[in-house]
Amino acid sequence: MERRRHHHALGNPDILHMIAEKKETGHPVGYVIIAGLTNPHQSIELMRITIAVKGEGYGRNILRQIKHWAFIEQKPIDSGWM
């Protein structure tokens, strides 16, 4: 069941899967799953962030990049409430 659910999620346009890689080598150090890409209210959900290598700052850097992607690159519509 879990494998089927995972396969379905990979093809779902509402869910984004990203592999985190070490900049110098390109080797994977973790992954990120974000949902809500098709949400009409522009509300996304950080479903999972998993980092295999601890204590190297990868998690902090990845979270910083996710925030930049969500708030700058995706250009959310200004609702005026903030």
Side-chain angles (χ1 to χ4, degrees):
M1 178 65 173
E2 186 65 32
R3 175 175 247 169
R4 196 171 350 150
R5 193 174 90 187
H6 179 71
H7 182 69
H8 173 67
L10 286 173
N12 186 338
D14 191 53
I15 300 175
L16 175 64
H17 294 80
M18 294 184 284
I19 302 293
E21 298 176 342
K22 187 172 182 175
K23 188 176 185 177
E24 300 80 15
T25 64
H27 289 109
V29 295
Y31 68 93
V32 176
I33 302 174
I34 298 174
L37 301 180
T38 60
N39 184 319
H41 304 289
Q42 297 182 316
S43 175
I44 62 170
E45 171 190 0
L46 177 57
M47 291 180 64
R48 180 168 295 149
I49 180 169
T50 301
I51 305 300
V53 181
K54 308 296 184 203
E56 300 288 326
Y58 294 122
R60 184 179 304 120
N61 188 26
I62 290 166
L63 194 53
R64 194 175 298 129
Q65 290 179 39
I66 291 169
K67 290 190 317 186
H68 183 270
W69 173 82
F71 294 107
I72 305 299
E73 292 179 30
Q74 295 303 303
K75 297 183 177 90
I77 297 170
D78 183 7
S79 64
W81 65 271
M82 289 185 85

